[in-house]
Amino acid sequence: MKHTIKDVAAYAGFSIATVSRAINAPHTVNRVTLAKIREAIEALQFSPSPLGRQLRGERTRLVGVVLPTLANPVFAECLQGIDELAAAQGYRLMLMTTQYDAARERHAIETLLAQRVEGLILTVADADTHPLLDELDHDGKLYVLMHNDTVRRPSVSVDNRRAAYDGVRMLIEHGHERVLMLAGTLAESDRARLRYRGYAEAMSQAGLTPAPALEVDFNADELAPSVLAHLTAGASRPTALFCSNDLLAMVVMRGLRRARFDVPGDMSILGFDGLSMGELLSPPLASIGTPNREIGCAAWRRLMARIEGADDGESLSLTLPHMLRKGATIAALSGASDAAKSAHPAA
Amino acid sequence: MKHTIKDVAAYAGFSIATVSRAINAPHTVNRVTLAKIREAIEALQFSPSPLGRQLRGERTRLVGVVLPTLANPVFAECLQGIDELAAAQGYRLMLMTTQYDAARERHAIETLLAQRVEGLILTVADADTHPLLDELDHDGKLYVLMHNDTVRRPSVSVDNRRAAYDGVRMLIEHGHERVLMLAGTLAESDRARLRYRGYAEAMSQAGLTPAPALEVDFNADELAPSVLAHLTAGASRPTALFCSNDLLAMVVMRGLRRARFDVPGDMSILGFDGLSMGELLSPPLASIGTPNREIGCAAWRRLMARIEGADDGESLSLTLPHMLRKGATIAALSGASDAAKSAHPAA
DNA sequence: GTGAAAGCGCTAACAC
DNA sequence: GTGTTAGCGCTTTCAC
């Protein structure tokens, strides 16, 4: 732990150069010499300091990870996947979170590069318009985006537009015509936009009119009265909600329930993320699941491929399959035209 | 980004030593010189490489974080707290997870030390018996434990025994006499032990007989039949469950419900962790909450104090308050003796 | 097959 | 105030 390569050299009776070789290119060293040096290493409990290596300029075995937050299990799960592979391959991870803030994104990336990470795995607010990513490309810095759904850059994601489309279609197939999309407040991410597009397309294609997404602050303890009114009042109230993420869906579900609205009796709800916790709700939350762990792992493999120069120039962006998790929060709308169905709670 | 201190020195027309001083001790440098150097730094977009500094042996501004897993939001939240402060103070975080595996714990700590982190923040499986921690103490390596509830080492935690005691007492005050504790499978942690002690004490003190903790695999999709039987069959079945963590509580809740058991009608449930998601369940999960973010922040401050040598030798372990989150999963047992109440579902 | 020596980017004595 | 120099721990020519 505190011995240096010099100590080993002295102990074994060779030069530090030979010790270095014994470690990094054993086959270039005499068998006997090698044995002696290994013995010395063993005796001294020596382990080469990464710092010397790093400074020397070659491989740092460091990878930077930049995430919006860990409060959302989606990202924690991705990170878990990354960490697993990184540990197995002897890489060290440097982590920074950004809270979806562009300035912090920039700062994180610069800090990490200064530390000479070999590559970056990141989730940014908006990948397409991020000038910093262009700089990275230009400077030959290696990175892979995670969850950023763009074809312009190396990325691993699900097809957000398609996933939303599939989900909303399912709602429509259950007989819902007035489907509303709910989005979080800091929704101006590439993902949010694509999910809205998927929603709009599914609606249009079914001859229905997409409504603008309704913004909901899902950190608040209660649903805002205006929002609640929007959801529950009037004959034209929506019968199904497509929520841009599961946390939001859960909050809305609670809010509706407090307002004595039954889910799914009075309102069907579909989330996005497929948080495992959603399945523990009652009724279990229907959701569009993303394979987060796998996304993390795939991003890692992708980055390693780039680092090792083995990047099969294949399509830049890798799209992993999403899965429609059918939950009991979606009910079929009774065949009867329900235009008259007003907003009185059932159970 | 790619310029070195030499470039700055050349550009400004001074030696690298002066440039270094201009950066690290500006007041020791002539005003004019300083201005010129700053100009050069600006022009070259120079930012000193952490690696040189790190190797030189002084401050690395690196802190290592070792966590069991990120799949449990408890730890993700702690990490979030740490990251916040670290970022604000210009520290970089190096993260490794262990899956509660002692070998991985050791490996993580050694890897991090080799990287010359200034300190470590860790959650280990069992703090008391961990020889590695003794080594750290002995070698003067700075660390702070998080969530490890021990008085023998620097740590930030809640009083697990007391928290469990309070929770179980609440159950008893609601009239429950047959209270069973459920624990996860890899429960051999210091926390688990203390929670069991709290449970046992609350029971004994009320003249009740503590039962051995029942082990439940909460990664399985279904509750094991044997477990379910234990919970629901017989006249002596428990009327309340104290679960050693919220994830477990949620799984059990679902399992019971599938078996057409009503919560809290037929069974009261109390969790541990206070995951915010638990509040979104219906009924909202009663739980003993731990201030995870705060625990992370406190651990950070504590570590910084130690690093700066300002550790007010105060008591080693800092105990943060837990909070009893009353949820609707706990019902009062009707005054009547319920010995005869058998296992048929209510609503 | 092995050793001497240079140097990665920086800080800290020690001179001047 | 500023420059010179040594060296942190390592890898890597380049000789031998």
Side-chain angles (χ1 to χ4, degrees):
Chain A
M1 219 92 124
K2 44 207 275 247
H3 284 293
T4 95
I5 198 172
K6 277 190 191 163
D7 301 322
V8 178
Y11 187 103
F14 292 90
S15 73
I16 61 168
T18 304
V19 174
S20 177
R21 272 184 228 110
I23 294 168
N24 302 296
H27 54 280
T28 68
V29 171
N30 183 299
R31 300 182 65 83
V32 204
T33 309
L34 186 56
K36 282 185 188 160
I37 291 180
R38 292 213 161 130
E39 198 186 313
I41 289 177
E42 185 58 31
L44 264 34
Q45 291 271 55
F46 169 76
S47 143
S49 157
L51 284 114
R53 292 182 157 165
Q54 283 162 196
L55 183 54
R56 195 57 181 71
E58 313 312 315
R59 316 201 52 179
T60 58
R61 297 232 145 210
L62 242 37
V63 164
V65 179
V66 179
L67 260 26
T69 172
L70 290 163
N72 190 332
V74 167
F75 300 118
E77 284 175 16
C78 289
L79 182 51
Q80 180 81 29
I82 296 171
D83 177 77
E84 216 76 343
L85 295 186
Q89 298 181 29
Y91 272 78
R92 288 168 290 282
L93 250 36
M94 232 144 124
L95 172 73
M96 308 197 71
T97 67
T98 64
Q99 313 299 329
Y100 295 94
D101 179 304
R104 287 184 65 173
E105 284 174 357
R106 167 169 287 271
H107 177 249
I109 294 174
E110 284 172 351
T111 303
L112 262 14
L113 286 178
Q115 191 75 42
R116 273 250 262 301
V117 294
E118 292 184 25
L120 292 164
I121 295 183
L122 28 165
T123 300
V124 298
D126 197 320
D128 282 330
T129 69
H130 215 305
L132 194 43
L133 296 179
D134 291 323
E135 286 178 37
L136 292 183
D137 285 329
H138 180 264
D139 299 348
K141 304 297 187 192
L142 269 23
Y143 69 93
V144 174
L145 295 169
M146 205 169 52
H147 269 294
N148 285 113
D149 187 359
T150 171
V151 291
R152 295 187 46 223
R153 311 181 186 281
S155 59
V156 178
S157 169
V158 297
D159 183 339
N160 279 275
R161 188 197 56 71
R162 182 64 201 262
Y165 175 90
D166 289 347
V168 173
R169 221 185 127 70
M170 175 171 74
L171 291 172
I172 294 172
E173 278 162 4
H174 276 75
H176 294 278
E177 303 195 330
R178 296 195 303 279
V179 180
L180 183 63
M181 175 160 170
L182 264 41
T185 41
L186 27 75
E188 249 337 289
S189 68
D190 44 16
R191 277 146 292 168
R193 273 200 309 278
L194 289 168
R195 289 175 195 176
Y196 183 77
R197 269 185 48 196
Y199 155 79
E201 283 179 28
M203 292 293 280
S204 302
Q205 191 175 307
L208 303 171
T209 312
L214 182 64
E215 277 210 354
V216 178
D217 176 8
F218 63 100
N219 290 315
D221 226 32
E222 294 281 343
L223 236 38
S226 63
V227 171
L228 198 58
H230 202 323
L231 300 186
T232 61
S236 64
R237 71 170 188 84
T239 61
L241 301 177
F242 167 46
C243 301
S244 69
N245 69 60
D246 277 0
L247 258 28
L248 177 58
M250 292 185 202
V251 168
V252 169
M253 206 162 133
R254 180 181 57 175
L256 286 175
R257 223 187 245 125
R258 283 189 185 156
R260 311 218 47 220
F261 236 65
D262 182 59
V263 175
D266 297 314
M267 182 79 85
S268 287
I269 293 188
L270 173 64
F272 201 121
D273 284 343
L275 294 191
S276 56
M277 249 156 254
E279 296 187 84
L280 299 176
L281 300 186
S282 81
L285 178 64
S287 185
I288 296 156
T290 57
N292 298 319
R293 230 192 121 71
E294 254 317 306
I295 288 178
C297 291
W300 176 265
R301 287 193 210 97
R302 197 67 199 295
L303 184 61
M304 284 303 117
R306 296 193 72 184
I307 288 176
E308 272 139 31
D311 198 14
D312 40 12
E314 278 186 55
S315 61
L316 276 174
S317 58
L318 174 61
T319 302
L320 262 36
H322 57 272
M323 45 246 168
L324 224 49
R325 192 177 74 198
K326 292 174 183 165
T329 54
I330 296 183
L333 216 51
S334 48
S337 154
D338 60 86
K341 189 174 198 273
S342 71
H344 54 229
Chain B
M1 216 89 128
K2 44 205 275 248
H3 284 292
T4 93
I5 198 173
K6 276 189 191 163
D7 301 321
V8 178
Y11 187 104
F14 292 90
S15 73
I16 59 167
T18 305
V19 174
S20 178
R21 271 183 227 113
I23 294 169
N24 302 297
H27 55 278
T28 67
V29 172
N30 183 299
R31 299 181 66 81
V32 209
T33 309
L34 185 56
K36 282 186 187 159
I37 291 180
R38 291 211 162 134
E39 198 187 312
I41 289 178
E42 184 60 31
L44 265 35
Q45 290 272 54
F46 169 76
S47 142
S49 158
L51 284 113
R53 293 183 156 163
Q54 284 163 17
L55 182 54
R56 194 59 184 73
E58 314 309 314
R59 312 201 55 179
T60 60
R61 298 233 144 207
L62 241 37
V63 164
V65 179
V66 179
L67 260 28
T69 173
L70 290 163
N72 190 333
V74 168
F75 300 118
E77 284 173 18
C78 289
L79 182 51
Q80 180 80 29
I82 295 172
D83 177 76
E84 218 74 346
L85 296 186
Q89 298 181 29
Y91 272 79
R92 288 168 290 280
L93 250 35
M94 230 144 130
L95 170 74
M96 309 196 72
T97 66
T98 64
Q99 313 299 328
Y100 295 95
D101 179 305
R104 287 184 66 172
E105 285 174 358
R106 167 169 287 272
H107 177 250
I109 294 175
E110 283 173 351
T111 301
L112 262 14
L113 287 178
Q115 191 75 41
R116 273 248 261 299
V117 295
E118 292 183 24
L120 291 164
I121 296 183
L122 30 166
T123 301
V124 297
D126 197 320
D128 282 330
T129 68
H130 217 304
L132 193 44
L133 296 179
D134 291 323
E135 287 177 36
L136 291 184
D137 285 329
H138 181 264
D139 298 347
K141 304 296 185 192
L142 268 22
Y143 69 93
V144 174
L145 295 169
M146 201 169 56
H147 268 295
N148 285 113
D149 187 0
T150 171
V151 292
R152 295 187 47 222
R153 311 182 185 280
S155 59
V156 179
S157 170
V158 298
D159 183 339
N160 280 277
R161 190 197 56 69
R162 183 64 200 264
Y165 174 91
D166 290 347
V168 173
R169 222 185 126 71
M170 175 172 72
L171 290 172
I172 294 172
E173 278 163 2
H174 276 75
H176 294 278
E177 304 196 326
R178 295 194 304 278
V179 179
L180 183 62
M181 175 161 171
L182 263 39
T185 40
L186 26 74
E188 250 336 291
S189 68
D190 43 19
R191 279 146 290 169
R193 273 201 307 280
L194 288 167
R195 290 176 195 176
Y196 183 78
R197 268 185 49 197
Y199 155 79
E201 284 179 28
M203 292 294 279
S204 302
Q205 190 175 307
L208 303 171
T209 312
L214 183 63
E215 277 209 357
V216 178
D217 175 9
F218 63 101
N219 290 314
D221 225 33
E222 294 282 342
L223 236 39
S226 62
V227 170
L228 197 59
H230 201 323
L231 300 186
T232 61
S236 63
R237 71 171 188 84
T239 63
L241 301 178
F242 167 46
C243 301
S244 69
N245 70 60
D246 276 0
L247 257 27
L248 177 58
M250 293 184 200
V251 168
V252 168
M253 205 163 135
R254 181 181 56 173
L256 285 175
R257 222 185 244 130
R258 284 191 184 156
R260 315 216 45 220
F261 237 66
D262 182 58
V263 175
D266 298 314
M267 182 79 84
S268 287
I269 293 189
L270 172 65
F272 201 120
D273 284 342
L275 294 192
S276 56
M277 248 157 258
E279 295 187 84
L280 299 176
L281 299 185
S282 80
L285 178 65
S287 185
I288 297 154
T290 57
N292 298 319
R293 229 192 120 73
E294 253 318 306
I295 288 178
C297 291
W300 177 266
R301 287 194 210 96
R302 196 70 198 293
L303 183 63
M304 284 304 116
R306 295 193 71 184
I307 288 176
E308 272 138 32
D311 199 14
D312 40 11
E314 280 187 53
S315 62
L316 276 175
S317 57
L318 173 62
T319 302
L320 261 36
H322 56 273
M323 43 245 169
L324 225 47
R325 191 177 76 200
K326 291 173 184 165
T329 53
I330 297 184
L333 216 51
S334 50
S337 152
D338 60 85
K341 188 173 198 278
S342 70
H344 53 230

